[in-house]
Amino acid sequence: MSGYAHRHLLGTRGLTAAEITDLLDRANRYAEINRTPDKKHAILSGRTVVNLFYENSTRTRTSFELAAKRLSADVINMQTGASSVAKGETLIDTAATLNAMHPDVLVVRHHDSGAVSLLSQKVNCAVVNAGDGKHEHPTQGLLDALTIRRRKGRLAGLKVAICGDVLHSRVARSNIYLLTTMGAEVRLVAPRTLCIPGAESLGVSVFHDLKAGIADCDIVMMLRIQNERMSGGFIPSTREYFRFFGLDREKLAAAKPDALVMHPGPMNRGVEIDSDIADDVDRSLIREQVEMGVAVRMAVLETVTRNLALERGEPWGNAK
Amino acid sequence: MKPISGKVAYVNARLLDPATGLDAIGGLLTEGETIAAVGPAITAASAPADAQVIDCRGLCLAPGLVDMRVQLREPGEEHKETIASASRAAVAGGVTTMVCLPNTDPVIDNDAVVEFVARRARKVGLTKVYPYAAATKGLKGEEVAEIGLLADSGAVAFTDGTHAVGSAMVMNRLLSYAASFGHLIVQHPEEPTLAGGDMNAGAIAGRLGLSGISPAAEWIMLERDLRLVETTGARYHAAHVSTAESVAIIRRAKGKGLAVTCDTAPPYFILTEEAVGEFRTFAKLSPPLRKESDRAAIAAGLADGTIDCVASDHSPQDADSKRKTFHDAAFGGIGVETLLAATLELTRSAGLSMLDALAKVTVNPARLLRLPCGTLAADTAADLVIFDPARAWPVDADTLRSKSKNSPFDETTLTGKVARTVIDGRSVFIDDELTHG
């Protein structure tokens, strides 16, 4: 089977081009339907999706919630602070507790790399990684790929520069694995303090100069720089960061004339990206990324729930 | 336990005594708690008529192992390990002497706790236990502990255990003060400000999104300490060296004639950072597992004598401490029960002779810490291990005898199995299959 046949989606690393294409094709169909007045499908009717978020998130959680609701699933949101997590319950105990309530899909975000994989080993439902530490954020990688594919018609052969705090970025890692698998040429642009050590072994090239890094690129993907990186001494100040690594129109001129700009959000305007570019509808894909996010998450929720049902020998699709 | 009396002749053995260079077929005669004689002349036929004769069936007979770096977790964390459970694991691994780190609760930084550990070990009556004492009060790295008094009450050397003495000023005073007594300082060589990560810094940490611990953390601390050793004339021992550069640094220091020694632990000459796989917390060690080039350099350092000793660096962690995200999981692996088999790996992978490999876990640590063991010489305590060097066995962490099961060698195969362990002339462990089967 060349389509996506796994029960979980924990990362983009190790996925085949056929598996990625399968998810993107399905998501693309949902993207079209999402633009029509009737957005609701019955395919996950009767299923339960739990959003378990150990990190604050509005955008990703809302996107997953909307995706699940458009597929008619029942959705529960659990956020730390409001749950037993704050009372000291371990990750594995929480997993066991939720598992006993028979959810079909757990969508999990956690501040530690590897946490979602660990949790997936302790439950018998499907698990979707909504971001684990600095490790992976696979639905972001997929939605970025879908956004690019819709605008450029392909992924293979494109030059994509991922710029900014790649060291601490799960978005960067998921994009690296996915885009290199799909045949894109990926470059990282960052000061040495914010670069992934040994990044070359991931099949990417590394630049420490923004203009040189985005030269001749089709896609310029900017990453969010987090405030705590300043206090950590990775960069001296936002002022200095913007001067050398922030994207403005002058630097963007180094990329291809039709180069498009992306950002996973939320943006720090004037730190990593100039408002002038972020709001330029001809160059910025930022809002389209958000739109594709819902479509990709619908495709992923449907696919892992189907795979779970097939694994359990339960009816799926027309039979239900 | 009552002292044992009478004579026992262990015959038909391959005698291995790194202290004397003895490697011959023969036997060993014990009388009461001590070794009476050893050599090719001792056979079943020549044994005294009143001696019990034990046929070793061609297996190896060596001094019981001296494991110079063990965390016993007692007092304070008895849910992870106790002196009794560690001792049972030790004797099953042929270890007859353990030297324990002071990072217990309370810390071993006063003579009462030194006494407590000694008394508990005597009561268990298996492996002999000698304590390190804290180098600084409360392991805080701020004030030099009462090392003279602690030595008098039985501490064999001084260390802050799993933490480096970070302050250069404190280390300078500690080395100067210890040098006045000739006491040994053991350092966990890791610059604390560079050691905030979860695994070895490099491509694998980069891929997994884990914070890296730079190998430079180890070199920098070693380089600093060795400068201080040079100016103070102290005796200094670096624990569990893990990087290629560390071996080179210590080789240079020894070349200068400094009183410097070091050990490593089996994970650093058998495993690499690849063992972390997809966030496997049993492979989260301190120092972290390094690259293959480091592993090879550690093995070479053992072969050329730069690295003097092998210690298990036994660090029991219960399931709750390891069944966590990689970042939250505790550092450390158990190893006392696998020490012999893992050390014998050096005879296969690093070209060491059987005597050279065994020296790393017997006479070398015993001499360094001035312990009365680690040899088959007559009139010393009859602490022995009889083992089959060729017997392969699958390591199943759940069947290891430590209270905690966090072996980095879980699900691997090690070669070399203990048939019998003897302490003070008494058999304290017998593997029925290897002894009688």
Side-chain angles (χ1 to χ4, degrees):
Chain A
M1 190 163 168
S2 61
Y4 192 85
H6 309 284
R7 200 217 311 169
H8 306 310
L9 176 65
L10 301 176
T12 59
R13 184 169 181 270
L15 299 188
T16 64
E19 288 171 336
I20 292 164
T21 302
D22 175 43
L23 291 172
L24 294 181
D25 289 348
R26 189 176 300 272
N28 197 43
R29 289 197 291 276
Y30 279 121
E32 295 306 324
I33 297 168
N34 281 344
R35 289 181 175 181
T36 65
D38 182 7
K39 305 171 180 67
K40 191 103 171 172
H41 309 264
I43 192 137
L44 294 192
S45 172
R47 307 278 176 175
T48 307
V49 175
V50 177
N51 287 328
L52 176 60
F53 277 60
Y54 286 82
E55 263 186 354
N56 284 331
S57 160
T58 308
R59 305 162 61 99
T60 305
R61 189 192 44 71
T62 306
S63 183
F64 268 107
E65 183 175 354
L66 195 56
K69 284 182 169 165
R70 286 196 178 155
L71 299 176
S72 305
D74 297 316
V75 187
I76 301 289
N77 292 314
M78 285 183 65
Q79 194 110 21
T80 69
S83 75
S84 54
V85 173
K87 299 173 189 162
E89 187 174 71
T90 68
L91 179 66
I92 288 172
D93 286 342
T94 304
T97 302
L98 288 176
N99 194 50
M101 300 180 195
H102 299 293
D104 296 280
V105 187
L106 274 177
V107 176
V108 186
R109 169 167 288 192
H110 195 281
H111 44 80
D112 281 348
S113 301
V116 181
S117 166
L118 175 67
L119 187 142
S120 74
Q121 296 160 28
K122 309 293 176 186
V123 297
N124 43 35
C125 60
V127 174
V128 175
N129 183 359
D132 63 322
K134 300 175 279 180
H135 180 227
E136 284 241 35
H137 189 357
T139 56
Q140 180 75 40
L142 287 163
L143 76 88
D144 286 341
L146 180 61
T147 308
I148 298 170
R149 200 180 74 168
R150 283 168 63 96
R151 288 295 280 263
K152 295 287 182 187
R154 64 195 165 101
L155 294 169
L158 293 179
K159 290 189 175 70
V160 181
I162 304 176
C163 312
D165 184 4
V166 290
L167 176 64
H168 299 97
S169 177
R170 53 196 173 211
V171 175
R173 286 176 179 78
S174 286
N175 268 302
I176 290 168
Y177 307 138
L178 190 155
L179 291 170
T180 53
T181 300
M182 299 307 288
E185 179 192 324
V186 178
R187 303 166 172 189
L188 305 183
V189 185
R192 285 183 184 274
T193 47
L194 291 178
C195 206
I196 300 173
E200 290 83 357
S201 69
L202 304 177
V204 301
S205 49
V206 176
F207 294 81
H208 305 300
D209 178 277
L210 184 60
K211 276 193 195 169
I214 67 175
D216 203 32
C217 276
D218 301 281
I219 299 290
V220 180
M221 198 179 279
M222 302 307 295
L223 298 173
R224 175 181 169 77
I225 180 99
Q226 315 225 351
N227 288 330
E228 58 261 35
R229 303 306 165 220
M230 259 73 79
S231 55
F234 290 92
I235 54 170
S237 69
T238 53
R239 197 168 73 107
E240 176 157 335
Y241 186 78
F242 185 71
R243 168 73 179 75
F244 294 98
F245 295 97
L247 187 68
D248 57 19
R249 201 163 287 280
E250 187 259 327
K251 293 189 194 110
L252 182 58
K256 279 190 180 156
D258 63 346
L260 297 169
V261 177
M262 304 176 77
H263 192 297
M267 282 182 284
N268 293 306
R269 291 167 180 268
V271 179
E272 70 259 356
I273 190 164
D274 195 7
S275 289
D276 180 38
I277 293 177
D279 299 332
D280 182 345
V281 289
D282 295 325
R283 306 302 293 271
S284 168
L285 295 176
I286 295 169
R287 266 171 275 174
E288 202 167 321
Q289 287 174 270
V290 177
E291 182 189 353
M292 291 308 120
V294 177
V296 157
R297 285 160 187 139
M298 290 170 79
V300 167
L301 289 174
E302 181 197 342
T303 303
V304 296
T305 311
R306 177 200 66 195
N307 295 343
L308 175 73
L310 295 177
E311 196 179 302
R312 290 175 172 169
E314 291 167 1
W316 177 256
N318 295 335
K320 185 175 156 60
Chain B
M1 234 174 277
K2 281 186 298 184
I4 194 164
S5 57
K7 296 171 186 166
V8 182
Y10 301 89
V11 301
N12 190 23
R14 179 181 173 190
L15 302 169
L16 290 161
D17 187 10
T20 59
L22 172 69
D23 181 354
I25 303 299
L28 181 143
L29 181 69
T30 65
E31 194 168 336
E33 300 185 3
T34 54
I35 296 169
V38 63
I42 297 171
T43 63
S46 75
D50 58 345
Q52 178 197 353
V53 174
I54 291 174
D55 183 357
C56 297
R57 311 188 331 161
L59 299 182
C60 294
L61 190 161
L65 270 53
V66 180
D67 188 345
M68 69 174 291
R69 191 175 175 86
V70 172
Q71 296 179 61
L72 296 176
R73 302 280 186 241
E74 184 180 352
E77 289 184 290
E78 289 85 351
H79 59 292
K80 293 183 175 179
E81 191 79 291
T82 61
I83 291 171
S85 62
S87 296
R88 284 192 294 274
V91 296
V95 173
T96 56
T97 298
M98 295 188 284
V99 189
C100 63
L101 293 182
N103 56 319
T104 47
D105 183 13
V107 169
I108 307 180
D109 68 351
N110 62 75
D111 41 11
V113 189
V114 171
E115 260 306 308
F116 170 83
V117 171
R119 192 170 64 246
R120 291 286 300 146
R122 270 199 308 277
K123 206 170 165 200
V124 171
L126 291 171
T127 292
K128 296 169 182 174
V129 176
Y130 295 90
Y132 291 105
T136 68
K137 288 175 188 164
L139 304 176
K140 290 199 176 85
E142 293 162 2
E143 293 175 81
V144 175
E146 294 173 329
I147 66 179
L149 294 174
L150 285 161
D152 277 356
S153 55
V156 296
F158 301 88
T159 178
D160 275 0
T162 56
H163 295 289
V165 177
S167 156
M169 181 200 73
V170 172
M171 192 57 165
N172 194 30
R173 284 188 189 149
L174 174 64
L175 290 169
S176 298
Y177 188 70
S180 18
F181 298 91
H183 291 323
L184 179 72
I185 299 299
V186 178
Q187 171 77 308
H188 170 94
E190 190 175 55
E191 166 53 41
T193 59
L194 284 175
D198 297 319
M199 70 170 291
N200 188 39
I204 295 181
R207 170 170 70 70
L208 294 174
L210 293 171
S211 300
I213 302 172
S214 167
E218 190 167 304
W219 323 329
I220 286 173
M221 189 55 92
L222 283 173
E223 294 274 27
R224 181 203 80 176
D225 283 353
L226 292 171
R227 292 284 177 164
L228 297 175
V229 166
E230 202 168 353
T231 56
T232 57
R235 293 173 64 218
Y236 175 88
H237 178 88
H240 50 54
V241 294
S242 67
T243 78
E245 186 60 25
S246 306
V247 179
I249 291 166
I250 287 167
R251 194 178 284 128
R252 281 199 297 275
K254 287 186 165 187
K256 284 186 190 172
L258 302 185
V260 170
T261 52
C262 68
D263 70 75
T264 192
Y268 306 112
F269 59 81
I270 295 177
L271 302 175
T272 68
E273 59 181 351
E274 300 277 351
V276 172
E278 292 291 316
F279 305 102
R280 194 166 157 266
T281 59
F282 277 15
K284 182 177 179 180
L285 306 179
S286 174
L289 293 167
R290 307 285 188 184
K291 293 187 299 189
E292 168 58 23
S293 53
D294 293 305
R295 188 207 63 76
I298 296 294
L302 284 159
D304 73 12
T306 303
I307 302 176
D308 307 88
C309 307
V310 173
S312 71
D313 201 23
H314 186 74
S315 307
Q317 300 290 0
D318 60 351
D320 287 343
S321 304
K322 283 288 190 181
R323 281 188 358 164
K324 288 185 165 177
T325 64
F326 202 86
H327 174 70
D328 280 348
F331 285 98
I334 57 169
V336 71
E337 195 171 341
T338 50
L339 178 63
L340 174 65
T343 302
L344 292 175
E345 190 60 32
L346 293 169
T347 64
R348 290 178 289 271
S349 64
L352 273 75
S353 70
M354 196 70 116
L355 284 177
D356 287 344
L358 288 171
K360 309 285 185 193
V361 285
T362 56
V363 63
N364 291 2
R367 280 185 185 153
L368 177 63
L369 299 172
R370 298 168 179 168
L371 305 177
C373 57
T375 172
L376 298 181
D379 299 324
T380 63
D383 296 346
L384 315 170
V385 57
I386 298 166
F387 63 94
D388 181 347
R391 177 66 68 102
W393 54 288
V395 180
D396 173 1
D398 289 337
T399 65
L400 294 176
R401 288 162 178 82
S402 278
K403 218 169 196 181
S404 294
K405 307 301 179 189
N406 54 308
S407 170
F409 298 113
D410 187 25
E411 297 177 6
T412 66
T413 297
L414 292 174
T415 302
K417 205 161 193 303
V418 174
R420 181 189 293 265
T421 303
V422 177
I423 295 178
D424 287 338
R426 182 196 313 271
S427 285
V428 290
F429 174 81
I430 292 173
D431 181 296
D432 282 329
E433 190 192 343
L434 283 173
T435 305
H436 306 294

